[in-house]
Every structure is written in structure tokens, then in C-alpha cells.
Amino acid sequence: MSTEAEERRFPLANLDSETQIWQPLTLLNLYRLLIGGLFTALFYSGYLLPPLASHDATLFYGVALIYFAAAILFIIPLSQRWPRFDIQAYFQIGTDILATILLMHASGSISSGVGTLLIVTVAGGSIVMGGRHPLMFAALATLAVLGEQFYAQRVGLGEPNTYTQAGILGLTLFITALAVQSFARRIRESEALARRRGLDLANMSQLTEHIIQRMQTGVLVIDEADQIRLMNESAWYMLGMPAASHYSQLAELSPALATQAQRWQQDPAADIEMIQPSPEHPRVMPRFARIGQESAGGTLIFLEDATAMARHAQQLQLATLGRLTASIAHEIRNPLGAISHAGQLLNESPQLDEQDRRLTGIIDDQSRRMNTIVENIMQLSRRDRSTPRLIDLHHFLPHFVREFATTEELHRELIGLNLDPGPLKVRFDPSQLEQILTNLCQNAVRYSEDYPGFPKVAIHAGLTGGSARPFIDILDYGPGIDPEIAAHIFEPFYTTASSGTGLGLYISRELAEANRAHLNYEPVTTGGSCFRITFQDPRRQMD
């Protein structure tokens, strides 16, 4: 990853790194403020202890005051971070060396002990700059000490044996520089390693968050007080796309899920039931797991779309059904064809009376019905995998109504169409949506035959009020469906009509589930029936 990319993705990490570079120089300036302020205060108070200022008090006071003022002035470029770091470091450390040498000279040269302050200066420069600079600072300070000693001897201040002290101080400065350089290098390596590990952890955190948000499985994390700490996009969809920012408690977001969570927390072996946020949303199967080893810790909740699980089961069911239909086609259709043909030949006999002809008609009708059942089962087992694409209902439904009226030889005014304004786009297989609508509209036309008004069938498309999901309602003006019968109308082979196969609504619901949609019966209080297709939010990508 490039440095520019790291700065864009991890600005806080780069800000911390920049702060770590300037912080030692800031601390070194605080030391400068302390020494300059201490010497100035001691001089003003008259409490200077010998040998401080013993040789030249005026020089000592002037240098201490200027040194303290310089430390104050250095605060401005340090806060502005201008000019650049290395220029400020060279200038400030050079100031420290010069001020220390002058204070040492004003206090009686090397024997005063003031020169030992250079150890702190060289050590600080080693930490601040690193590389070869520590040795340069040590060499510069040593030359300054020797130069001052030479000058002090020339003016009669020093003694010949003080060269040994100057040499020992210089050697100490070099040893300090080398030791601190090694120590500072290890610190920098540790900081660099920690920074890389921090970037790796930040990358891993972002990757984990991205994976969680893109998972098809819903993920919820709640703490010991049932407060929501994390909810990914899939969980948001499964729970009805609530305004999550308004909910902090799980019970406020989904009372049914909160009940299941409390039941599991009390007894992890308890049976977990499916929940359904609303009729237009799929049923959801929750799974629970503890976070950490403590019983009072948080809870991780996985939400599985029951539609997806049913779709996998359906694939197994269809594979078995496919093998069964192959046997049906061979074992039933051939004898059925023979029975139907024999009935037709018998019906052509001139010796049959009207009662016998009615019986041959029953044979013919029931043979055709059996053949239709076999064809529907074979169609269901051979059904191709859905290929959803984005459909604009404002264009699709008017075209469907025209085609349906033409195919069924109906007057156009028999079918009413009402489309809500605004975008109405769904993600669905067009051919399968047409098959569902055709089946529902055929049923609606058949059951609305006795209705005297127009239209006899109404199609309404819009968005649900709560979750803003697209829907299509197919309404008829027939006698309606008894609640006891409505509970079974989507079961295969269930029918109340003598000529029906009981597979139309079952196939329609299966096609809807294959496209992540839902087909439900909606009771109508004013009479008639309503079947609603509730589509998946088209903004969500299907797998």
C-alpha cells in the first residue's frame, strides 16, 4: 500500500506518526524553558550557588535571559511546524550547545560542572534526529568544550589539568551519543513495527466490517442490556428496513426477536421459532451465540432468510420430483392416452344412448384433467432457474394487460389498471412474472363472472407504506375465500373446483419465492379477493 493511500485511508494513523516526530523536539524545548527559567530566576533572587556566575555574572545573566527568551520564541515555530523539522532541530540544538558553553565559561570554565548539561543536549539530539547526527552533535559539543578550555587558559581562567576534564567530558558525550543512538534506533523500529501492525489491524477491521455488511446472513450484536451494538445490511432488510437510528434496544426494533433472544438466554437448549416482521417480508430463522466466556457478555444473533432455506429444500424436492415425473410420463400418460382414445371411439358408436354418452364425456373430461396435472408437474420439475433483471412496472403492466386481454379474448375494460406515481422498479424474471400474473388474472376473471360492474379485475401497483417495497395487487369481485379454505389454497393439489388441478397457486408462489418475492392472500372486507405479490427491494443485489 502506498503512502498516499495510507494517508487517505488512515488519516488518524498518519497524524499520530507526525505527532510522534515533533513531540521529542517539543519536550526538548520544555527542558530548555526549565533551565533558562531556573538560571534567570536564581540570578534575580540572588540565590545562585557557587560556582554559578562566579567568573562573569553579567554574561551569565545575559545568556540565561536570552536562552529563556529563545525557548519561549521556539514555541511558535514548533506549534506552526514551520520551517521544516530538521532546520528547527539543528538550530535549537546548536542554540543549546552555544548557551551551555557560554554559561560554563561565565561560571569558571570546565571545573564549574555546567558543561555536564551538554550530555542532556547531545542525548536529546540523538533521540530527535537519529542517524549520524548524534555523533555530529557530540563532536560539535566536544570541540566547543575544548575551544572554551583553550580560550579560558589564554585569559588565565583555566588550569592545564582541566584539559583532562574536558577530554573526559568529550568522551562522555560520544559514549552518550552512541548509547542513545542505539536505544533510539530500537525505539524507532518498535514504533515503526507498531505503526505497521496498527495499519494491518485497521485494514483487517475495515475488511471484517465490509464482509459483515455484505453477508447475505443477517448479523446483529447486542450487549448484556440488549442494546444494539451492530447490525449489518442483511439484518436491516430482514427486519423490515426500520429506521435503525431510532432504536437502541432490541425490543424496540423487533419485539418477536427480543422474545426469542430472552428465551435462548434463559435456556440455550430451548426451541427457536421463526419470526416475520410483517406480511410482506420473509420469515426469518434466528440463531444465537454468546460473545466471550462470561454469561453476562453480549450475544451474537444470526438471521437466516427462511425463503433461501426453502429454496434449497425446493431444489432437492424438484430433483426428486423430476425423477418421479419421468416415471409418471411413462407409466400414466400412455395408459391415460389409451383410455381417452377408447372413450372417444366409444362415444362415436351409434348404439349409445344419452346416459352412456354422458358417461363417456366424464371419461374424456377426467382424462384431460389427469393429463393437465401431469403436464403441470412436469413443467414444475423442469422449471428453469430464474434470471432476474430490473423491470419497470409502468411499462411492463400495461403491456401485460393488452396481451392478456388479447389472448383470453376479453374486452379491455374488463381489466382495470392503477399505477401509483413515482418509480416502480422490481428485480424479477419477466417470463415468470408474466406466468404468475396470467394465472392470478385467469382465476380473478373466472370468479368475477357474476359481478355486474366494470372492471371485473383490478390490478394495482405501488409501494408498501412501511418498508417502501414494490407490490402488485390482483383483485377480483367474486364471493371471496373462506378463512378456513384460505389457509390451504397454496398447498399443491388443493382445490375446491371440480375442474381444477390445485397446482396454479402453488406454482405461482414457488415462482415468486425463486425471485425473492412473496405471494400472499389478502382478505378484503368489502368482498372479493386480493392476491398480493410483494417484491424484494430492487436496490438490494440478489445472489
Side-chain angles (χ1 to χ4, degrees):
M1 182 183 295
S2 64
T3 303
E4 292 80 4
E6 289 182 357
E7 291 177 354
R8 288 194 301 269
R9 295 189 62 187
F10 307 108
L12 293 178
N14 287 276
L15 181 61
D16 292 341
S17 177
E18 186 178 359
T19 301
Q20 291 174 359
I21 293 175
W22 286 87
Q23 187 176 20
L25 193 59
T26 303
L27 293 176
L28 193 59
N29 192 58
L30 291 177
Y31 162 77
R32 193 176 298 117
L33 279 169
L34 177 63
I35 296 300
L38 178 63
F39 284 165
T40 303
L42 289 175
F43 186 85
Y44 262 112
S45 63
Y47 288 103
L48 278 176
L49 300 176
L52 295 178
S54 59
H55 174 64
D56 191 339
T58 303
L59 177 63
F60 187 92
Y61 167 69
V63 172
L65 185 61
I66 293 174
Y67 191 44
F68 180 64
I72 296 176
L73 292 176
F74 286 156
I75 296 175
I76 298 175
L78 282 172
S79 61
Q80 298 295 324
R81 296 183 180 179
W82 185 89
R84 66 177 189 263
F85 176 81
D86 55 346
I87 294 178
Q88 292 197 46
Y90 291 144
F91 186 76
Q92 293 182 23
I93 294 173
T95 301
D96 292 337
I97 295 175
L98 178 61
T100 304
I101 293 297
L102 292 176
L103 290 172
M104 182 180 69
H105 181 77
S107 300
S109 191
I110 190 69
S111 59
S112 66
V114 176
T116 55
L117 295 177
L118 291 172
I119 297 176
V120 179
T121 300
V122 172
S126 301
I127 295 174
V128 168
M129 298 299 295
R132 300 178 180 177
H133 299 90
L135 295 179
M136 182 188 70
F137 293 144
L140 183 61
T142 301
L143 290 176
V145 169
L146 293 175
E148 189 280 332
Q149 179 61 29
F150 177 76
Y151 176 77
Q153 189 175 10
R154 292 290 301 270
V155 298
L157 183 61
E159 298 179 2
N161 60 355
T162 56
Y163 277 107
T164 302
Q165 298 180 25
I168 293 175
L169 179 58
L171 180 61
T172 302
L173 294 176
F174 274 99
I175 293 175
T176 301
L178 291 174
V180 174
Q181 180 184 22
S182 176
F183 179 69
R185 183 175 63 252
R186 293 183 180 180
I187 291 178
R188 289 191 179 90
E189 290 174 353
S190 299
E191 290 178 349
L193 179 61
R195 195 178 304 117
R196 288 196 298 270
R197 293 293 182 265
L199 293 177
D200 291 341
L201 289 174
N203 279 331
M204 186 62 67
S205 177
Q206 290 189 0
L207 178 61
T208 302
E209 182 179 358
H210 180 79
I211 292 173
I212 290 175
Q213 290 298 329
R214 294 298 181 269
M215 286 175 61
Q216 292 297 321
T217 300
V219 177
L220 270 169
V221 177
I222 58 175
D223 59 16
E224 64 277 4
D226 287 347
Q227 289 187 341
I228 300 172
R229 297 301 182 185
L230 173 68
M231 179 170 62
N232 71 347
E233 184 178 356
S234 293
W236 180 66
Y237 275 102
M238 292 180 189
L239 294 177
M241 296 182 289
S245 59
H246 297 166
Y247 302 103
S248 60
Q249 292 287 334
L250 182 61
E252 298 175 353
L253 179 67
S254 175
L257 182 59
T259 301
Q260 296 290 330
Q262 291 176 0
R263 181 185 303 174
W264 177 84
Q265 290 169 356
Q266 294 172 0
D267 182 11
D271 293 335
I272 304 300
E273 300 177 358
M274 290 187 182
I275 63 173
Q276 189 170 15
S278 62
E280 64 267 16
H281 288 90
R283 293 187 301 166
V284 175
M285 173 60 75
R287 295 284 185 266
F288 303 93
R290 294 198 187 279
I291 300 177
Q293 301 297 325
E294 298 181 0
S295 58
T299 303
L300 180 62
I301 305 175
F302 296 99
L303 302 178
E304 293 289 347
D305 189 346
T307 303
M309 294 188 292
R311 190 166 61 250
H312 292 308
Q314 178 194 23
Q315 298 300 324
L316 298 175
Q317 192 178 38
L318 291 179
T320 304
L321 191 58
R323 292 191 294 268
L324 176 62
T325 52
S327 301
I328 291 176
H330 178 71
E331 300 295 337
I332 295 181
R333 298 189 76 179
N334 290 338
L336 187 62
I339 294 173
S340 177
H341 184 63
Q344 292 175 3
L345 292 177
L346 183 61
N347 190 44
E348 295 174 359
S349 173
Q351 301 176 359
L352 291 179
D353 55 21
E354 287 298 323
Q355 185 176 1
D356 291 335
R357 290 187 186 278
R358 187 174 63 84
L359 294 176
T360 57
I362 293 176
I363 293 174
D364 184 60
D365 290 341
Q366 296 304 316
S367 296
R368 283 199 300 269
R369 182 184 178 188
M370 288 291 295
N371 187 64
T372 302
I373 292 176
V374 172
E375 288 180 351
N376 285 338
I377 293 176
M378 294 182 67
Q379 177 189 10
L380 183 62
S381 64
R382 292 195 306 263
R383 192 182 73 215
D384 295 332
R385 180 181 176 87
S386 62
T387 54
R389 59 187 179 89
L390 206 60
I391 301 173
D392 189 345
L393 296 183
H394 283 284
H395 299 294
F396 180 86
L397 288 179
H399 175 75
F400 166 77
V401 170
R402 289 193 299 269
E403 292 293 327
F404 179 78
T406 301
T407 303
E408 299 294 325
E409 298 180 352
L410 300 173
H411 292 292
R412 173 63 183 81
E413 62 269 16
L414 292 177
I415 304 174
L417 179 61
N418 179 24
L419 299 173
D420 288 351
L424 288 175
K425 295 183 178 181
V426 299
R427 200 178 297 276
F428 212 96
D429 187 305
S431 63
Q432 294 180 356
L433 179 57
E434 183 176 354
Q435 182 177 349
I436 296 173
L437 292 175
T438 299
N439 181 47
L440 295 177
C441 288
Q442 286 176 342
N443 290 342
V445 170
R446 183 167 62 253
Y447 286 105
S448 299
E449 289 180 350
D450 297 334
Y451 178 67
F454 294 93
K456 292 182 180 296
V457 178
I459 300 177
H460 175 213
L463 299 176
T464 58
S467 58
R469 284 192 172 198
F471 71 88
I472 298 176
D473 285 343
I474 294 88
L475 300 97
D476 65 56
Y477 298 93
I481 303 177
D482 186 86
E484 295 183 0
I485 297 176
H488 304 282
I489 57 176
F490 292 104
E491 296 177 2
F493 304 109
Y494 181 86
T495 179
T496 58
S498 59
S499 59
T501 63
L503 287 173
L505 290 177
Y506 171 71
I507 293 175
S508 297
R509 172 171 274 190
E510 291 295 310
L511 291 174
E513 297 289 344
N515 288 270
R516 295 277 184 95
H518 306 282
L519 175 60
N520 297 297
Y521 170 72
E522 301 284 338
V524 181
T525 57
T526 58
S529 302
C530 174
F531 286 88
R532 169 169 288 191
I533 307 171
T534 306
F535 299 90
Q536 182 192 33
D537 193 316
R539 296 171 296 178
R540 190 178 187 196
Q541 184 66 35
M542 294 182 64
D543 51 350

